[in-house]
């Protein structure tokens, strides 16, 4: 699904659908713009209410067909900080539950003069479908489509890594866990490769390794200790039991025993290693609670950075913000 739908003929970002094929220059522009928004926020202090009204008069609809805490909330905050009007559509309560197709939902909402849709859907390709059918000038942001892509998560992950370790060419990064069902893993791999990370690894039990993932430029490890040896960043993935149709794993207990990040295992890693997780975490499965909120964890920083990064993407697409 790599195509140029998301880049206009003038080279500008029109939609954000995937990290695959997103040029390095655009990726860095988004991170730099997010850096400016984050710096402004810090300068104001915790109670600041400065708005960057680049989306004043624009309407953003958050269209979530799947559960979300962080992503939906931070998209909403981002749009509000850019002074957009924001509508959150409760999809379970909408007409899709009455059988309306995705296309009819899109066209109905477009008739209300919506400028941007933020869409999360369980079907891989849903955001591309929307982008293909959207009216000219209507932007689509992918907030997660099936197992395919979650580009703003990858952007906020890169933003978080860059804050601590700015030189990607020196980085060894391990993505650990359920990559088979993870749109985050795919988007992170593309982004890390685009930014030139030296060594990108996928560490998972064999049944959770997607076929052909090596072609994206990752080294696959089926054993945790070897996979984490010498890494600078560990990105843990949630064991996505809701997407497991068959019995991929013997049990979550066994997964924890073989792949869970515990205090003991963390103690053997580099002292300045970063521990990341897109959330929501399964405590005691892929990560121990102590480690999730321990001193090497940047999990809550990732959440916070979600706002600035999503502001940057929205401003670049709709506000014409020259980053
Ligand atoms: C992720 C998602 O929904 O893809 N979460 C998120 O957006 N922060 C990962 C997950 O659900 O495990």
């Amino acid at each position: 699904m790599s195509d140029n739908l998301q880049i206009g003929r003038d080279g500008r970002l029109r939609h954000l659908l995937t990290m695959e094929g997103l040029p390095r220059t655009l990726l860095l522009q988004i991170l730099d713009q997010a850096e400016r928004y984050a710096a402004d926020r810090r300068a104001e202090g915790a109670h600041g209410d400065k708005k960057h009204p680049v989306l004043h008069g624009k309407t953003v609809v958050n269209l979530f067909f799947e559960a979300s805490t962080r992503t939906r909330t931070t998209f909403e905050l981002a749009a509000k900080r850019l002074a957009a009007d924001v509508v959150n559509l409760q999809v379970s309560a909408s007409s899709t539950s009455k059988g309306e197709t995705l296309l009819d939902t899109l066209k109905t909402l477009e008739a209300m003069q919506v400028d941007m849709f933020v869409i999360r859907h369980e079907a891989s390709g849903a955001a591309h479908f929307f982008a293909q059918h959207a009216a000219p000038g209507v932007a689509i942001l992918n907030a997660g489509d099936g197992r395919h892509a979650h580009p703003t998560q990858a952007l906020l992950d890169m933003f978080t890594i860059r804050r601590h370790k700015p030189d990607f060419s020196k980085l060894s990064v391990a993505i650990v866990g359920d990559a088979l069902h993870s749109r985050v893993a795919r988007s992170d791999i593309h982004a890390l490769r685009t930014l030139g990370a030296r060594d990108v690894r996928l560490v998972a039990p064999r049944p959770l390794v997607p076929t052909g993932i090596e072609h994206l430029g990752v080294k696959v490890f089926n054993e945790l200790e070897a996979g984490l040896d010498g890494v600078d960043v560990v990105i843990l993935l949630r064991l996505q039991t809701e997407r497991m149709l068959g019995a991929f794993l013997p049990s979550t207990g066994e997964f924890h025993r073989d792949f869970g990040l515990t205090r003991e295992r963390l103690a053997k890693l580099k002292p300045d290693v970063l521990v990341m997780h897109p959330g929501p975490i399964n405590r005691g499965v892929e990560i121990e609670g102590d480690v999730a909120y321990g001193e090497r964890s940047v999990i809550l920083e990732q959440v916070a950075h979600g706002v600035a990064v999503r502001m940057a993407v929205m401003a670049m697409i709709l506000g014409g913000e020259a980053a």
Side-chain angles (χ1 to χ4, degrees):
M1 263 187 265
S2 119
D3 53 49
N4 283 329
L5 210 51
Q6 59 185 356
I7 316 278
R9 285 211 191 90
D10 54 2
R12 293 177 63 100
L13 199 60
R14 286 197 60 226
H15 307 285
L16 182 66
L17 307 175
T18 172
M19 282 290 112
E20 192 176 355
L22 188 79
R24 184 185 155 88
T25 45
L26 274 181
L27 203 165
L28 290 172
Q29 272 177 29
I30 296 169
L31 298 188
D32 292 344
Q33 181 62 35
E35 201 64 67
R36 288 191 278 276
Y37 286 137
D40 280 0
R41 191 80 191 163
R42 272 197 310 280
E44 283 179 78
H47 303 292
D49 63 354
K50 183 171 162 195
K51 291 234 187 345
H52 299 264
V54 290
L55 296 197
H56 181 73
K58 306 276 189 191
T59 302
V60 176
V61 170
N62 272 325
L63 193 54
F64 278 61
F65 294 84
E66 270 189 351
S68 173
T69 306
R70 285 146 277 267
T71 306
R72 201 198 55 70
T73 314
T74 52
F75 262 118
E76 181 177 352
L77 281 173
K80 286 184 169 159
R81 286 187 191 159
L82 296 171
D85 294 322
V86 189
V87 178
N88 293 307
L89 196 70
Q90 296 292 328
V91 177
S92 57
S94 81
S95 292
T96 51
S97 57
K98 299 182 186 169
E100 190 171 73
T101 69
L102 213 50
L103 189 56
D104 293 330
T105 305
L106 170 69
K107 291 297 157 194
T108 303
L109 292 167
E110 264 181 8
M112 302 172 201
Q113 313 288 310
V114 171
D115 300 287
M116 176 178 272
F117 289 95
V118 177
I119 173 170
R120 168 170 285 193
H121 197 280
E122 68 273 10
S124 300
H128 278 74
F129 177 83
F130 258 48
Q132 271 157 359
H133 293 93
V138 173
I140 307 298
L141 298 195
N142 185 3
D145 63 324
R147 305 172 179 196
H148 172 238
H150 193 350
T152 56
Q153 179 70 42
L155 287 166
L156 73 88
D157 288 348
M158 298 309 115
F159 185 90
T160 305
I161 294 172
R162 194 173 79 154
R163 272 283 173 93
H164 294 269
K165 298 179 188 291
D167 187 353
F168 278 79
S169 72
K170 294 196 178 129
L171 286 188
S172 173
V173 181
I175 299 173
V176 182
D178 184 4
L180 186 65
H181 302 101
S182 176
R183 50 203 177 202
V184 176
R186 280 175 190 71
S187 287
D188 276 349
I189 291 169
H190 285 301
L192 286 163
R193 299 288 302 154
T194 303
L195 293 176
R198 177 176 64 79
D199 175 27
V200 184
R201 308 175 184 183
L202 174 61
V203 187
R206 244 175 262 279
L208 296 180
V209 176
T211 317
I213 195 86
E214 304 83 1
H215 300 309
L216 302 185
V218 290
K219 274 183 248 157
V220 175
F221 292 77
N222 300 121
E223 201 264 315
L224 189 66
E225 203 173 318
L228 294 187
D229 187 36
V231 295
D232 304 290
V233 180
V234 182
I235 301 175
L236 299 162
L237 302 171
R238 184 172 64 88
L239 203 58
Q240 299 192 33
T241 43
E242 81 278 15
R243 295 190 204 279
M244 293 190 193
L245 301 174
F248 285 102
L249 283 172
S251 73
T252 52
E254 277 175 82
F255 181 82
H256 181 69
R257 187 196 63 204
D258 295 338
F259 289 91
L261 191 62
T262 60
R263 264 180 180 284
E264 294 72 45
R265 285 175 172 153
L266 182 62
K268 292 187 189 141
L269 305 186
K270 282 189 174 175
D272 64 345
V273 69
L274 295 184
V275 174
M276 302 176 65
H277 192 307
I281 63 170
N282 288 314
R283 272 170 183 265
V285 182
E286 66 270 357
I287 189 165
E288 266 180 2
D290 276 3
V291 175
Y293 297 101
E295 59 176 20
R296 297 314 320 148
S297 167
V298 291
I299 294 174
L300 294 179
E301 277 181 43
Q302 289 172 268
V303 176
H305 295 156
V307 180
V309 163
R310 290 176 171 122
M311 283 172 78
V313 172
M314 289 174 155
M316 274 179 69
I317 294 180
L318 272 194
E321 191 91 326

